[in-house]
Amino acid sequence: MWAWQKADSIKTEIEAADTIFIHRHVRPDPDALGSQLGLQRILKSVHPDKKIYVVGGMVPDLEFLGKMEHVEEEMYKDALVLILDTANQERIDGPYALKGKTIIKIDHHPDEDPYAMTQIVDTTVSSTSEMIVELANIWDYPIDQEAAFLLYAGIVGDTGRFQFRNATARTFEIASRLIDKGIDTNKLYRHMYKTNLATLQLQGYVLQHVNVTEEGVGYVKIDKDVLRTFHASPEAASQLVNSFSGLEGLKCWVMFVENKEEIRVRIRSKGPVINEVAKRYRGGGHPMASGATIDTWEEMDDVIAALNEVAGEFTFEENEES
Ligand SMILES: [Mn+2]
């Protein structure tokens, strides 16, 4: 079944609705916010008469992308709800998202929870922001400079500045067209890749405390004491997961960050498939980038052992190294 076959019926739903809510996942990243705010901008310019709201919590570092709106449950009656970049119900930000009359999911994560009535899920696309550009093209809705800035931010975020293997030829084509709108990439990178002193010093700690197993699994443990020492939030710490990815011999790596009563686990890989491991520990995600949650530090050893197993079975192709 062609993943995009619902594109036209989604356009019909949009054109029929008076009120549209756009949601995305909790603890938003640039792709979640870029696709959400970018789509709002596109829809508002084509349909200035419709009420179009963006909903969810904000993270201070990404406030430069835009603002969320306050909504009430009654407003969802008869409304169309578009949920972006969110694989499963539990990850949807905003309590009333599923109260709408019509629920539509647009996402590039593996479809573990088909919670919507209509959906486009395509795991071959780099980001939900890239999907929004494709949809705007299909719908023949123009993308102005502001929308282009937001969608470009999402693509940059999810491709790690076009480094990850999800950045396809199509991704570059789309990025090129967004750049062509005259967006201020200097401004974007200045905001997206700024670091405060506390985070920089925490990064120093992370780099000093990387452990690597014989199988090529890197790991760092960040407990509450470390967070307190560096005045860092668990979110800020989790974002440092890629700070040691360049380490020679590394196949996959993981960061354990204590948060309230649980320990968040962020796993990344250059080859071994790690989302099956994440699934065993209350998590999931992409084959090369996943998250999970454990309750005790004893479980940390189990996660590392499981990653050792997948890393041990994996070898890099010779020609991939050259
Ligand atoms: Mn995404």
Side-chain angles (χ1 to χ4, degrees), residues 25 29-32 35 85-86 107-109 126-129 154 158 286:
H25 61 78
D29 54 16
D31 184 38
S35 59
D85 202 37
T86 311
D107 190 25
H108 69 127
H109 296 92
S126 74
S127 52
T128 303
S129 298
D158 266 24
H286 298 283

Side-chain angles (χ1 to χ4, degrees), residues 55 63 73 77 80 83 100 102 144 167 177 203 254 312 322:
V55 189
E63 273 167 359
E73 186 171 352
K77 194 173 154 288
L80 168 65
I83 303 174
T102 308
D144 68 6
R177 255 189 272 153
Q203 190 174 354
V254 51
S322 58

Side-chain angles (χ1 to χ4, degrees), residues 132-141 143 170 174 177:
I132 298 301
V133 177
E134 295 282 19
L135 282 171
N137 291 338
I138 295 170
W139 297 338
D140 204 18
Y141 286 1
I143 297 174
R170 184 71 185 140
I174 282 176
R177 255 189 272 153

Side-chain angles (χ1 to χ4, degrees), residues 20-177:
I20 302 172
F21 293 91
I22 310 175
H23 285 251
R24 38 68 189 169
H25 61 78
V26 293
R27 296 193 300 275
D29 54 16
D31 184 38
L33 290 171
S35 59
Q36 180 188 34
L37 288 156
L39 179 61
Q40 182 192 37
R41 176 83 187 172
I42 291 167
L43 296 184
K44 272 188 164 176
S45 70
V46 182
H47 301 294
D49 47 320
K50 295 186 194 299
K51 295 190 277 296
I52 305 167
Y53 301 99
V54 286
V55 189
M58 244 305 175
V59 286
D61 284 346
L62 296 173
E63 273 167 359
F64 74 96
L65 291 172
K67 278 197 176 65
M68 295 295 113
E69 280 141 353
H70 178 78
V71 294
E72 306 278 353
E73 186 171 352
E74 312 84 77
M75 296 158 70
Y76 281 73
K77 194 173 154 288
D78 301 324
L80 168 65
V81 183
L82 302 165
I83 303 174
L84 312 182
D85 202 37
T86 311
N88 49 323
Q89 285 176 61
E90 297 72 49
R91 299 243 316 140
I92 302 170
D93 202 350
Y96 318 124
L98 300 176
K99 304 268 184 195
K101 192 175 81 174
T102 308
I103 315 294
I104 291 172
K105 175 190 194 179
I106 299 169
D107 190 25
H108 69 127
H109 296 92
D111 191 22
E112 271 148 36
D113 177 10
Y115 53 77
M117 302 156 192
T118 301
Q119 62 175 34
I120 300 179
V121 173
D122 189 344
T123 57
T124 68
V125 183
S126 74
S127 52
T128 303
S129 298
E130 185 178 328
M131 294 179 76
I132 298 301
V133 177
E134 295 282 19
L135 282 171
N137 291 338
I138 295 170
W139 297 338
D140 204 18
Y141 286 1
I143 297 174
D144 68 6
Q145 194 184 91
E146 189 181 318
F149 179 86
L150 293 161
L151 296 166
Y152 187 84
I155 295 171
V156 165
D158 266 24
T159 61
R161 289 179 262 188
F162 304 101
Q163 282 186 82
F164 305 152
R165 64 177 80 182
N166 64 358
T168 62
R170 184 71 185 140
T171 310
F172 282 94
E173 269 172 39
I174 282 176
S176 148
R177 255 189 272 153

Side-chain angles (χ1 to χ4, degrees), residues 109 164 242 266-269 272 274-275 278 284-291:
H109 296 92
F164 305 152
N242 285 326
R266 282 214 172 175
I267 317 170
R268 298 292 182 268
S269 176
I274 42 88
N275 56 350
H286 298 283
M288 301 293 127
S290 290

